[in-house]
Amino acid sequence: MIAPGSTIGIIGGGQLGRMMAVAASALGYKVHIFTPEEDAPASEVALRTTIAAYTDHNALKSFAAEVDVVTFEFENIPHESLELLESKKPVCPNAAALKICRNRLREKSFVNNLGIGTADFRKVTSLEELKKMARVIGFPSVLKTTEMGYDGKGQVTLRSESELDPSWGKLRTNEAILEAFVDFRMEISVIVARSANGETSAYVPVQNIHKNHILDVTIAPAPIDKVLADKAEAMAIKIAEAMGLQGLLAVEMFVTQDDKVLVNELAPRPHNSGHWTMDACVTGQFEQIIRAVCGLPLGNPERLCDAEMKNLIGDDALEWEKYMQDANAKLHLYGKKDIRPGRKMGHVNVLKPKT
Ligand code: AMP
């Protein structure tokens, strides 16, 4: 067990790192952020920051020497850097879990091997292969880079044969995944925590509504029946257990028109669709990951009230006063100085009576 008073090292300095740092300090931990970014949102609320590239092995060694455990707000750190950290200090989640979640092909294969469904998919490494696989998968389909894609970046929807050539060029990669387009009824996600001794604990499934490929609103709980909710929760727990995860796992899923649940994406860390838990649950996701990573017992994820989380993207953040007019709205701003279109500046959790 890593006791309060110890130092938690967090890789990544964005809003997730910031909210993890706040939760850690509430429990009496110190936080050291590792980020390549000057003025990172997390640095404002952490005791120390190392500003260096994720490939800077000397900086990673000094960072490891100063912390008691390492965790992540960002899973795309190079594998050698991760191995270096693992050779020095406990790293949670483990490199194996991070490796699975970092690559869309590995991720979907891992999930399928557990008997859990995903969109039908094929690996694509060249334009010729794309043409061949498009005949198997059909149209519409979604072509995605296997690594480093987020918020709709690194992916393109294909509607006809004529789009294959330009789309392949646009993706600028030599490894992609071609997925069948899922005609979903709803997008949902489940966030599950798994402790050092294998205890698991899931938040209720929530509905996620995207705008311009970026999460716009999360509705907690998702308006689905209990059978579906239980199924989604059981899938998330099964995946976290199979990974041997110690930490938090967000599982994004599609609910199809005929009520199948297909897994779309995994993230082994706190997730935007779990921000509502900060104000609406006994234990929020940021406290939960700190507990899991430090080997403490997990907190109760029970929902105290319903909630709707609205992301404040770009100029939305200028309207913070409007959101504050609602006494049941909890405003969270990330301290980012520059407003840019598509940039996540904050979020607001509107609390509602429990249904
Ligand atoms: P992702 O980066 O995989 O999370 O995809 C971002 C968003 O694109 C998802 O939340 C969906 O709204 C949409 N999307 C991704 N993959 C598919 C798919 N195979 N079928 C339909 N929509 C998809």
Side-chain angles (χ1 to χ4, degrees), residues 200-342:
T200 55
S201 160
Y203 293 100
V204 288
V206 294
Q207 179 183 5
N208 298 317
I209 299 166
H210 294 84
K211 205 159 84 183
N212 303 326
H213 295 285
I214 303 175
L215 182 64
D216 180 31
V217 169
T218 293
I219 296 167
I224 52 175
D225 66 34
K226 189 169 178 328
V227 175
L228 265 184
D230 288 350
K231 192 154 102 182
E233 191 176 309
M235 283 179 174
I237 291 174
K238 190 169 183 181
I239 298 169
E241 284 178 339
M243 278 180 177
L245 183 91
Q246 182 182 344
L248 223 55
L249 180 73
V251 184
E252 292 184 74
M253 308 169 190
F254 299 126
V255 179
T256 64
Q257 302 293 346
D258 55 353
D259 275 355
K260 284 203 195 74
V261 181
L262 303 177
V263 168
N264 178 41
E265 203 173 20
L266 309 176
R269 51 167 169 79
H271 192 256
N272 197 165
S273 69
H275 289 358
W276 68 280
T277 63
M278 299 170 79
D279 298 310
C281 295
V282 177
T283 311
Q285 66 165 349
F286 297 102
E287 178 182 342
Q288 196 73 305
I289 189 170
I290 298 301
R291 285 169 171 257
V293 160
C294 292
L296 306 178
L298 297 179
N300 183 357
E302 190 186 326
R303 179 175 107 255
L304 295 168
C305 57
D306 290 2
E308 197 171 303
M309 189 281 314
K310 162 103 181 93
N311 262 341
L312 304 181
I313 311 276
D315 283 344
D316 292 348
L318 297 173
E319 295 190 276
W320 62 271
E321 272 182 289
K322 179 184 97 182
Y323 295 106
M324 286 230 106
Q325 299 305 317
D326 179 351
N328 289 313
K330 306 284 279 184
L331 179 71
H332 300 263
L333 293 171
Y334 309 147
K336 296 182 184 178
K337 289 184 191 69
D338 301 327
I339 295 183
R340 289 195 291 270

Side-chain angles (χ1 to χ4, degrees), residues 104 119 142 144 149-152 155 179-182 184 187 210 213 252 254 264-265:
R104 292 184 192 273
V142 187
K144 303 176 181 177
Y150 68 98
D151 288 348
Q155 66 173 274
E179 295 179 12
F181 189 87
V182 179
F184 55 80
E187 290 191 80
H210 294 84
H213 295 285
E252 292 184 74
F254 299 126
N264 178 41
E265 203 173 20

